[in-house]
Amino acid sequence: MKENHRKLSASRINISELMLPSHTNFSGKIHGGHILKLMDQIAFASASKYSRSYCVTASVDKVDFLNPIEVGELVIMKASVNYVGNSSMVVGIRVTAENIQTGKVKHCNSSYFTMVAKDGEGNNVRVPRPILTSLEEVRRFHNAIKRIELKKERNEHRETFDHTTTEAIESLKKLNITVELQ
């Protein structure tokens, strides 16, 4: 194996945690903030394990809470680095919840955390180049590239879109939105 290369499989981490009443929100379901905290922790662990560096969260892509999590369910999180840049890594996370009495498992959410490797002074650190060892890793890597490209396109659109034009204002009025500029 090449010296500054590492298998993506080295980043795989699974954690599980029993959901307790102290994790609930006002409606009695597990609080989304608690799940996000666990997701951030596993993203850190996965990226740090791969890069062998301290890592920080740079961004979190869309998180859709697909199914509520109940008290007493076992939350299982699986994470792995899906993409590697120079100092950044995209960590894919899948969250499921298992009813430990019935064995029924439901998908609760999936998300992508961009993590950046840092040194002791807070400077970015170059991470090992990836070695892909399965077609699943190849698929995930390509999908990450596509998401990065789409994100750049969205950001360019935001930077170039002129919301002050007559056309922009009229498009809002077509949506039955009242615009009263002062």
Side-chain angles (χ1 to χ4, degrees):
M1 183 168 24
K2 296 179 182 177
E3 188 174 314
N4 84 1
H5 285 67
R6 186 155 305 127
K7 291 181 180 181
L8 286 185
S9 59
S11 71
R12 288 189 196 135
I13 298 207
N14 297 328
I15 62 169
S16 56
E17 183 174 321
L18 184 65
M19 294 296 103
L20 303 174
S22 61
H23 301 140
T24 60
N25 59 23
F26 294 112
S27 68
K29 307 296 182 196
I30 300 305
H31 196 288
H34 181 70
I35 299 303
L36 285 170
K37 179 179 120 182
L38 293 175
M39 291 172 76
D40 192 51
Q41 289 173 355
I42 196 171
F44 167 83
S46 177
S48 295
K49 186 176 176 191
Y50 177 82
S51 66
R52 295 189 179 142
S53 299
Y54 178 77
C55 294
V56 296
T57 306
S59 71
V60 179
D61 282 1
K62 186 175 174 181
V63 179
D64 290 326
F65 292 94
L66 305 173
N67 288 296
I69 301 172
E70 308 289 339
V71 171
E73 289 185 326
L74 186 65
V75 167
I76 300 120
M77 295 190 182
K78 296 179 180 182
S80 66
V81 171
N82 290 350
Y83 170 85
V84 177
N86 291 321
S87 61
S88 66
M89 296 151 283
V90 174
V91 177
I93 304 169
R94 180 176 174 86
V95 179
T96 58
E98 179 181 353
N99 180 313
I100 56 177
Q101 293 176 327
T102 67
K104 182 179 177 190
V105 176
K106 60 187 172 187
H107 179 211
C108 298
N109 69 45
S110 295
S111 187
Y112 303 95
F113 281 53
T114 300
M115 309 298 288
V116 178
K118 299 285 187 177
D119 65 15
E121 286 86 48
N123 301 309
N124 291 359
V125 174
R126 193 163 186 76
V127 296
R129 303 310 304 146
I131 299 171
L132 309 179
T133 59
S134 71
L135 288 176
E136 181 66 12
E137 288 177 350
V138 170
R139 182 187 68 77
R140 288 177 179 168
F141 202 93
H142 275 293
N143 285 347
I145 291 170
K146 188 64 177 169
R147 277 191 308 279
I148 291 166
E149 290 170 355
L150 290 171
K151 191 176 191 178
K152 286 179 183 175
E153 287 175 20
R154 279 193 312 271
N155 289 341
E156 287 173 12
H157 173 73
R158 282 187 200 126
E159 291 173 10
T160 60
F161 179 72
D162 185 357
H163 66 281
T164 64
T165 65
T166 304
E167 294 83 16
I169 302 297
E170 291 303 317
S171 70
L172 293 175
K173 290 179 181 178
K174 288 178 184 175
L175 298 172
N176 200 22
I177 296 172
T178 302
V179 179
E180 296 178 355
L181 301 176
Q182 301 187 22

